[in-house]
């Protein structure tokens, strides 16, 4: 494993490109959560009774922070990374310099993490101005989004190292990302779901992100946050090496 400070060179390269296209990049990840907030939070929420002492809008808003961060990173480290690798040959150009392939992969994951923090924080700011952030503990949400972003960057880069062509990413989003989005506690509590669903949810990274973001936003901080943070840290550590191995095998094997 050959990793040094040069990972930030890769990050900076992606950031420079992002600065030129940020308006078109941000629209999807910014507008879609707002549409969910308007249609489900204000619309459907009018007909839903309070959940654990809070309105449905208050329940939904923190979950959208987490899901927006997930979608941003998953998109960046699959479609965008694959385009840079396969079609633009950016990886090949970078590794012709002193930057190693491992550093390219880690730099990609760091940039995916950045997008997670950026898009999640934007939603946090929006719901703050809507009066849905009653607790100063919400200032710690970006730290949770760092973990969220890095984990989904790892998962995205693993898939990027496996897929034969860009169309295959549809399986990743349909079979992995969308089920997480629906069954991680973003839209409803999992208490009423069958035990098997509740047990499986514990293995979903987004579930733990939601279970950290929601209490921080609402000021319901408990020691349970430590357990969720440790789970995410362990997950990130376990899945750090696979994308390095898969991309190394794909591009040099």
């Amino acid at each position: 494993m050959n990793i040094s400070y040069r990972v930030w060179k890769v990050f900076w390269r992606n950031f420079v490109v992002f600065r030129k296209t940020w308006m078109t990049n941000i629209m999807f990840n910014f507008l879609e959560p707002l549409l969910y907030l308007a249609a489900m939070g204000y619309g459907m929420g009018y007909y839903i009774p309070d959940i654990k002492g809070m309105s449905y809008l208050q329940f939904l808003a923190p979950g959208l922070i987490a899901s927006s961060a997930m979608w941003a990173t998953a998109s960046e480290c699959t479609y965008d990374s694959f385009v840079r690798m396969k079609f633009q040959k950016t990886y090949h150009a970078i590794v012709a310099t002193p930057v190693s392939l491992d550093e390219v992969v880690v730099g990609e994951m760091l940039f995916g993490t950045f997008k997670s923090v950026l898009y999640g924080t934007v939603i946090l700011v929006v719901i703050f101005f809507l009066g849905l952030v009653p607790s100063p503990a919400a200032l710690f949400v970006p730290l949770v989004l760092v973990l969220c972003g890095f984990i989904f960057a790892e998962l995205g880069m693993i898939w990027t190292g496996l897929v034969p062509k860009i169309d295959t990413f549809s399986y990743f989003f349909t079979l992995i990302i969308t089920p997480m989005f629906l069954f991680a506690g973003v839209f409803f509590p999992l208490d009423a779901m069958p035990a098997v669903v509740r047990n499986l949810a514990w293995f979903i990274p987004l579930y733990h992100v939601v279970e950290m973001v929601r209490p921080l936003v609402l000021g319901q901080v408990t020691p349970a946050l430590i357990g969720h943070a440790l789970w995410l840290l362990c997950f990130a550590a376990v899945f750090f090496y696979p994308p390095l191995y898969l991309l190394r095998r794909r591009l040099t094997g």
Side-chain angles (χ1 to χ4, degrees), residues 30 33-38 41-42 56-68 119-135 138-139 141 145 213-219:
F30 175 66
L34 292 186
L35 292 174
Y36 276 114
L37 195 65
Y42 286 102
Y56 184 66
L57 182 61
Q58 291 174 311
F59 178 87
L60 175 65
L64 291 178
I65 295 173
S67 65
S68 179
Y119 289 112
T121 302
V122 166
I123 303 302
L124 175 63
V125 171
V126 169
I127 68 171
F128 170 79
F129 284 109
L130 292 175
L132 299 172
V133 184
S135 171
L139 292 172
V141 166
L145 299 181
V213 170
R214 185 170 285 129
L216 289 173
V217 170
L218 300 176

Side-chain angles (χ1 to χ4, degrees), residues 150-181:
F150 199 74
I151 285 172
F152 283 100
E154 290 173 336
L155 295 178
M157 292 304 291
I158 287 172
W159 204 264
T160 299
L162 290 172
V163 296
K165 53 186 179 179
I166 197 168
D167 295 341
T168 320
F169 283 120
S170 59
Y171 292 103
F172 176 69
F173 285 93
T174 301
L175 300 177
I176 297 176
I177 297 299
T178 299
M180 290 190 191
F181 181 51

Side-chain angles (χ1 to χ4, degrees), residues 24-165:
T24 54
N25 272 273
I26 204 170
M27 281 303 169
F28 170 78
N29 294 94
F30 175 66
L31 289 178
E32 187 178 43
L34 292 186
L35 292 174
Y36 276 114
L37 195 65
M40 302 186 69
Y42 286 102
M44 190 172 70
Y46 179 81
Y47 301 96
I48 297 177
D50 288 356
I51 300 174
K52 298 181 179 179
M54 68 189 86
S55 69
Y56 184 66
L57 182 61
Q58 291 174 311
F59 178 87
L60 175 65
L64 291 178
I65 295 173
S67 65
S68 179
M70 176 191 72
W71 282 105
T73 303
S75 176
E76 174 65 32
C77 291
T78 51
Y79 286 108
D80 293 355
S81 292
F82 189 86
V83 168
R84 286 191 287 269
M85 176 186 69
K86 183 73 172 179
F87 302 113
Q88 297 177 348
K89 304 297 182 181
T90 302
Y91 290 12
H92 298 75
I94 294 176
V95 298
T97 72
V99 179
S100 70
L101 181 56
D102 287 350
E103 289 167 337
V104 172
V105 176
V106 175
E108 290 277 289
M109 293 193 293
L110 289 175
F111 187 70
T113 302
F114 160 74
K115 293 190 79 171
S116 168
V117 176
L118 173 63
Y119 289 112
T121 302
V122 166
I123 303 302
L124 175 63
V125 171
V126 169
I127 68 171
F128 170 79
F129 284 109
L130 292 175
L132 299 172
V133 184
S135 171
L139 292 172
F140 292 100
V141 166
L143 296 178
V144 180
L145 299 181
V146 170
L147 281 174
C148 173
F150 199 74
I151 285 172
F152 283 100
E154 290 173 336
L155 295 178
M157 292 304 291
I158 287 172
W159 204 264
T160 299
L162 290 172
V163 296
K165 53 186 179 179

Side-chain angles (χ1 to χ4, degrees), residues 2-12 98-99 103 107 110:
N2 183 12
I3 298 174
S4 71
Y5 71 93
R6 288 188 290 264
V7 298
W8 295 106
K9 300 289 186 179
V10 180
F11 172 91
W12 183 250
V99 179
E103 289 167 337
L110 289 175

Side-chain angles (χ1 to χ4, degrees), residues 234-250:
C234 290
F235 191 98
V238 169
F239 283 86
F240 178 72
Y241 182 73
L244 301 181
Y245 168 76
L246 291 170
L247 268 299
R248 195 186 306 137
R249 186 184 68 174
R250 176 168 191 150

